[in-house]
Amino acid sequence: EEERGRSQQTLDNVIKQRPSLTRISSLAMSIAIKEDDDGIMKSEFTLPTIEGIEFVNYVNEEQLDDVMRLVGQDLSEPYSIFTYRYFLHRWPQLCILAVPTDSEGGDGTEEGTKNRRRPIGCVVCKMDIDDGEPSGDEVVTTTSVENSNNKTNDKGTDQNETQANNGLPNNKIFTGYIGMLAVEHTHRRSGIGTALVQRAIHRMQQMGCQSIRLETEVTNKSAMTLYEDRLGFVREELLKKYYLNWGDAYRLRLWLNA
């Protein structure tokens, strides 16, 4: 315990000297130190849980309306259904939904149960080849990503082995992309958005991504706080008049293999 305290103090000092490394503290909160059978202390990655919330995978188009409802509530510009399908059909395992688990409410009917279990948050992501261009479709194919659907879980695996198992060439550098994140107004400020993004980041890292990108409006202070302060993203580029409403955006990136 004393040794762990000294290690944390050293980490805190490094972070103070190099503010760009604040992402280390964010990731460290998800690492538990446990003793194995031989008495050796080892780190074990754990994802945060939220009481009353279950995180489930996107399965099929029965959930499409829920994703569109959640994402559409705060959009500065509308997405077409083809945009949603582009993400969800090609990278279904990179769409994660937050669903209430409590049994209260509803009227006891099948419809009442369905309404009670309606998702209240979601994150939608994809993968690209990191060659300076936004698209990597010629390599990150539907088949290769769907093959990884059965191999992707919330346990740590070797990145090169996972990338090979997914049918993706290991001589390419892959980057993840967070396209959509939404939480219902009634469930915000409860850690759901952070938990969704952490799960998505972990999965993309398992699939071989070395960094994660996204864009967010300059005026979206809550999003900037989430990505920069809590998760360690850094500003990579200012995109002037990026949105249809002429709003500016920041392109943010999280490096996973610094």
Side-chain angles (χ1 to χ4, degrees):
E1 186 69 28
E2 183 179 351
E3 179 66 26
R4 193 190 314 179
R6 287 198 296 268
S7 298
Q8 182 61 48
Q9 185 177 9
T10 301
L11 175 62
D12 292 340
N13 290 335
V14 172
I15 292 173
K16 288 179 182 178
Q17 295 172 10
R18 296 184 62 186
S20 61
L21 295 181
T22 53
R23 68 182 181 89
I24 296 178
S25 61
S26 299
L27 298 177
M29 290 191 300
S30 299
I31 298 177
I33 306 298
K34 293 188 177 181
E35 184 175 337
D36 65 11
D37 295 335
D38 298 324
I40 300 175
M41 303 301 290
K42 293 185 176 181
S43 62
E44 181 178 291
F45 185 89
T46 57
L47 290 165
T49 59
I50 299 177
E51 184 177 358
I53 298 296
E54 179 183 5
F55 296 95
V56 302
N57 296 331
Y58 179 88
V59 177
N60 54 45
E61 283 217 350
E62 291 182 1
Q63 299 160 302
L64 178 58
D65 287 342
D66 289 318
V67 174
M68 294 177 65
R69 168 182 56 83
L70 288 166
V71 175
Q73 63 186 353
D74 291 320
L75 282 180
S76 58
E77 57 187 64
Y79 291 146
S80 73
I81 191 171
F82 302 105
T83 300
Y84 291 100
R85 284 176 172 160
Y86 169 75
F87 280 88
L88 299 176
H89 286 190
R90 295 180 65 86
W91 298 275
Q93 74 279 26
L94 293 181
C95 174
I96 305 172
L97 306 170
V99 182
T101 59
D102 61 81
S103 58
E104 298 180 1
D107 53 12
T109 64
E110 182 178 349
E111 184 66 24
T113 301
K114 181 179 179 181
N115 290 335
R116 186 178 67 247
R117 293 278 295 170
R118 187 176 69 171
I120 49 84
C122 70
V123 63
V124 180
C125 310
K126 68 169 183 170
M127 288 176 60
D128 288 322
I129 296 176
D130 194 3
D131 58 359
E133 298 296 331
S135 175
D137 297 345
E138 69 278 11
V139 174
V140 188
T141 63
T142 302
T143 301
S144 64
V145 177
E146 285 180 349
N147 286 340
S148 71
N149 198 23
N150 295 326
K151 301 180 180 68
T152 302
N153 51 48
D154 292 333
K155 295 180 181 179
T157 56
D158 179 78
Q159 179 171 312
N160 292 332
E161 178 182 353
T162 301
Q163 187 167 304
N165 289 339
N166 289 344
L168 303 176
N170 55 19
N171 61 339
K172 296 287 187 179
I173 298 176
F174 292 93
T175 184
Y177 179 80
I178 299 176
M180 310 172 196
L181 173 67
V183 178
E184 281 190 353
H185 293 274
T186 54
H187 290 78
R188 292 180 181 178
R189 298 186 177 278
S190 59
I192 295 175
T194 301
L196 282 167
V197 175
Q198 286 178 318
R199 280 166 168 76
I201 291 173
H202 184 52
R203 289 191 183 184
M204 286 186 278
Q205 186 172 27
Q206 283 183 297
M207 294 172 66
C209 293
Q210 296 187 16
S211 67
I212 311 292
R213 295 184 301 109
L214 62 91
E215 292 89 28
T216 187
E217 288 184 279
V218 170
T219 57
N220 192 340
K221 302 303 182 184
S222 60
M224 296 297 294
T225 298
L226 168 64
Y227 292 119
E228 288 190 316
D229 298 345
R230 297 180 191 171
L231 298 172
F233 282 75
V234 296
R235 299 179 191 183
E236 192 171 66
E237 186 177 359
L238 173 63
L239 306 171
K240 301 293 290 185
K241 298 181 180 179
Y242 182 75
Y243 297 103
L244 291 179
N245 63 2
W246 286 25
D248 298 338
Y250 283 123
R251 175 165 291 141
L252 307 179
R253 188 185 291 255
L254 174 67
W255 292 99
L256 300 175
N257 293 331

